[in-house]
């Protein structure tokens, strides 16, 4: 099956020499081709170039993209997509003055979601998650990392991870799964949370590993949640089972989460609202992708992570949605692209890289996804007619995506 997209106003996010991630000054580099064509064959990018150089091809499908941009699909490297209930009552509590931590302390927050998730069947959770994925695809997302973490019991965590596995098998989106048993501390473990950590390590993890349900292991390492010591124990165990660490770090406080992530070779450390110079230093020269979650900072009115400073000091930056019912109820990566520019002062080129190739790196798939390069998986979208690629972050709140292709197939 061959598809030709012709008369593309601008082909965005091209890589002639593919890189696994973009760091520092490289983040400002984004190749584009004006008046371009793109050929896709058997689910992969086959060739691209200037329209004037297009040779006769035997395409089964020809799409005319006059006036439109073609961009690589977003990779959303941090989501909690499988959950049962929305939490708008807590949203109102926050408007009235309660903090996220106060709500969590009295049994709301993650525990509220865990209760509803325990009551939902695997089928119900699957159906809800599948609908969310369909909508995210319409907004330009082609890959997602999905965490468990609304289970907090062995049975419920396994249920969530099995739903993620079914989503991976049955949707066209590339999905990576993340075991986040250490997301919240159940009420009955308050005051002796190390016993819950024991449960995560000794009971949950062997079962998760036996069914091959998780690519990654995650911990909410932060003030009021899991300590650095808890985190070390969980990461060490996870690594033994072949799960690479990815950490929730420094959302509430300078928690030591960044350093512990780097120490254990985490593929990413995520959130980073609270970043000092020591945290930035610790990331230098590491394999760990600093990942900022602009939707969460927006929704909770948190301080902004110093993205500009990080890029200027030579680091990579990735930006993902953090889609979840408590702190980021939107999976709209176009909005993340806009926030990257508007709130974090990244240029449009840096913002595209932060939401495509660098998030692909943070999911361990940047050799296959995250840019338009020959041989990579053909996940891309065609925009509505728009003036320029800068219009994408500029016109926040508007869906600029007209057609989506995943694995070379139009969705
Ligand atoms: O990434 N910070 C921890 N976990 C989620 C929020 C989970 C929730 O409140 O339901 C996050 O923001
Ligand atoms: Fe999160």
């Amino acid at each position: 099956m061959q598809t030709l997209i012709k008369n593309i106003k601008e082909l965005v996010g091209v890589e002639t020499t593919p890189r696994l991630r973009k760091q520092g000054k490289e983040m400002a580099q984004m190749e584009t081709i004006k008046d371009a064509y793109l050929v896709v064959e058997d689910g992969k990018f086959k060739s691209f170039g200037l329209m004037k150089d297009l040779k006769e091809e035997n395409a089964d499908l020809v799409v005319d993209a006059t006036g439109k941009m073609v961009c690589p699909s977003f990779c959303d490297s941090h989501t909690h997509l499988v959950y049962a209930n929305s939490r708008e009552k807590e949203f109102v509590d926050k408007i009235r003055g309660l903090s996220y931590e106060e709500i969590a302390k009295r049994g709301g927050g993650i525990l509220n979601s865990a209760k509803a998730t325990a009551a939902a069947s695997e089928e119900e959770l699957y159906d809800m998650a599948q609908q969310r994925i369909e909508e995210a695809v319409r907004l330009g997302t082609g890959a997602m990392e999905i965490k468990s973490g609304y289970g907090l019991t062995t049975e419920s965590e396994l249920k969530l991870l099995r739903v993620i596995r079914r989503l991976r098998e049955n949707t066209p989106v590339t999905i990576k799964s993340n075991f986040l048993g250490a997301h919240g501390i159940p009420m009955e473990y308050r005051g002796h949370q190390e016993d819950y950590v024991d449960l995560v390590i000794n009971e949950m993890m062997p079962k998760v590993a036996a069914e091959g349900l998780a690519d990654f292991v995650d911990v909410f390492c932060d003030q009021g949640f899991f300590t650095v010591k808890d985190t070390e124990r969980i990461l060490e165990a996870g690594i033994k089972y072949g799960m690479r660490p990815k950490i929730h770090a420094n959302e509430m406080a300078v928690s030591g989460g960044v350093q512990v992530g780097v120490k254990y070779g985490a593929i990413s450390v995520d959130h980073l609202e609270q970043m000092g110079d020591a945290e930035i230093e610790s990331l230098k020269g590491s394999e760990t992708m600093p990942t900022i979650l602009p939707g969460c900072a927006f929704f909770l009115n948190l301080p902004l992570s110093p993205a500009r400073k990080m890029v200027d000091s030579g680091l990579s930056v990735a930006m993902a949605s953090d889609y979840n019912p408590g702190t980021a109820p939107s999976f709209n990566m176009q909005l993340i692209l806009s926030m990257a520019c508007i709130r974090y002062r990244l240029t449009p080129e840096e913002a595209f890289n932060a939401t495509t190739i660098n998030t692909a790196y943070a999911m361990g798939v940047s050799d296959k996804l995250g840019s338009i390069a020959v041989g990579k998986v053909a996940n891309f979208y065609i925009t509505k007619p728009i003036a320029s690629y800068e219009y994408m972050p500029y016109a926040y709140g508007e869906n600029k995506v007209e057609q989506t292709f995943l694995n070379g197939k139009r969705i």
Side-chain angles (χ1 to χ4, degrees), residues 21-29 258 262 269 272 275-292 305-319 346 350-351 353-354 357-358 361:
R21 61 176 163 173
K22 295 211 172 153
Q23 308 187 68
K25 286 195 171 58
E26 291 166 355
M27 283 199 61
Q29 295 162 12
V258 172
V262 171
V269 286
L272 316 181
M275 286 287 276
D277 289 343
E279 280 66 34
I280 292 183
E281 274 315 303
S282 73
L283 284 159
K284 287 187 183 163
S286 78
E287 299 291 310
T288 302
M289 177 61 67
T291 302
I292 295 169
S305 184
R308 186 70 269 151
K309 189 171 170 188
M310 284 155 67
V311 173
D312 291 343
S313 63
L315 292 181
S316 293
V317 164
M319 292 200 182
L346 297 190
E350 290 170 331
N353 283 322
I357 192 70
N358 282 357
Y361 178 94

Side-chain angles (χ1 to χ4, degrees), residues 122-248:
E122 196 174 312
E123 208 53 42
E124 286 165 335
L125 289 168
Y126 177 82
D127 289 345
M128 285 187 267
Q130 199 212 18
Q131 280 176 28
R132 292 170 194 144
I133 290 181
E134 277 174 21
E135 190 54 35
V137 167
R138 274 193 279 276
L139 292 165
T141 296
M144 286 179 143
E145 178 258 19
I146 308 176
K147 300 169 200 294
S148 66
Y150 290 127
L152 309 182
T153 63
T154 305
E155 188 194 345
S156 230
E157 281 296 307
L158 288 169
K159 179 168 70 176
L160 288 169
L161 289 164
R162 288 181 191 132
V163 170
I164 299 170
R165 178 173 60 193
R166 277 180 68 195
L167 293 167
R168 191 207 297 248
E169 288 166 357
N170 296 304
T171 70
V173 170
T174 300
I175 291 173
K176 290 281 172 186
S177 77
N178 189 342
F179 170 52
L180 176 57
H183 193 196
I185 300 154
M187 274 302 179
E188 59 274 28
Y189 288 97
R190 296 277 164 101
H192 56 108
Q193 68 191 65
E194 51 300 335
D195 293 339
Y196 182 67
V197 174
D198 286 342
L199 182 80
V200 168
I201 294 173
N202 300 326
E203 190 178 297
M204 294 186 192
M205 221 179 248
K207 292 194 171 147
V208 171
E211 286 189 47
L213 289 171
D215 301 301
F216 302 115
V217 59
D218 204 332
V219 179
F220 187 6
C221 177
D222 221 319
Q223 182 177 288
F225 292 86
F226 293 90
T227 64
V228 169
K229 187 162 172 256
D230 298 333
T231 306
E232 291 200 313
R233 290 181 57 210
I234 293 168
L235 298 190
E236 268 169 26
I239 289 167
K240 283 197 194 122
Y241 285 111
M243 302 171 197
R244 183 135 185 223
K246 255 170 105 72
I247 318 264
H248 279 75

Side-chain angles (χ1 to χ4, degrees), residues 43-80:
K44 305 266 168 65
F45 293 119
K46 182 173 182 236
S47 60
F48 48 76
L50 291 167
M51 269 310 283
K52 68 176 178 53
D53 298 329
L54 174 62
K55 304 210 175 61
E56 211 42 55
E57 296 269 354
N58 290 327
D60 304 288
L61 174 69
V62 179
V63 180
D64 189 336
T66 300
K68 303 168 184 177
M69 308 281 143
V70 170
C71 307
S73 297
F74 295 110
C75 295
D76 193 351
S77 62
H78 183 135
T79 82
H80 307 247

Side-chain angles (χ1 to χ4, degrees), residues 68-113:
K68 303 168 184 177
M69 308 281 143
V70 170
C71 307
S73 297
F74 295 110
C75 295
D76 193 351
S77 62
H78 183 135
T79 82
H80 307 247
L81 182 112
V82 186
Y83 62 86
N85 63 329
S86 57
R87 304 217 307 258
E88 58 276 16
K89 284 207 171 63
E90 292 176 3
F91 167 67
V92 178
D93 288 342
K94 278 181 254 170
I95 295 168
R96 296 218 162 98
L98 279 184
S99 73
Y100 180 74
E101 282 167 287
E102 283 161 343
I103 292 170
K105 248 190 214 137
R106 57 179 206 184
I110 293 166
L111 297 189
N112 173 348
S113 287

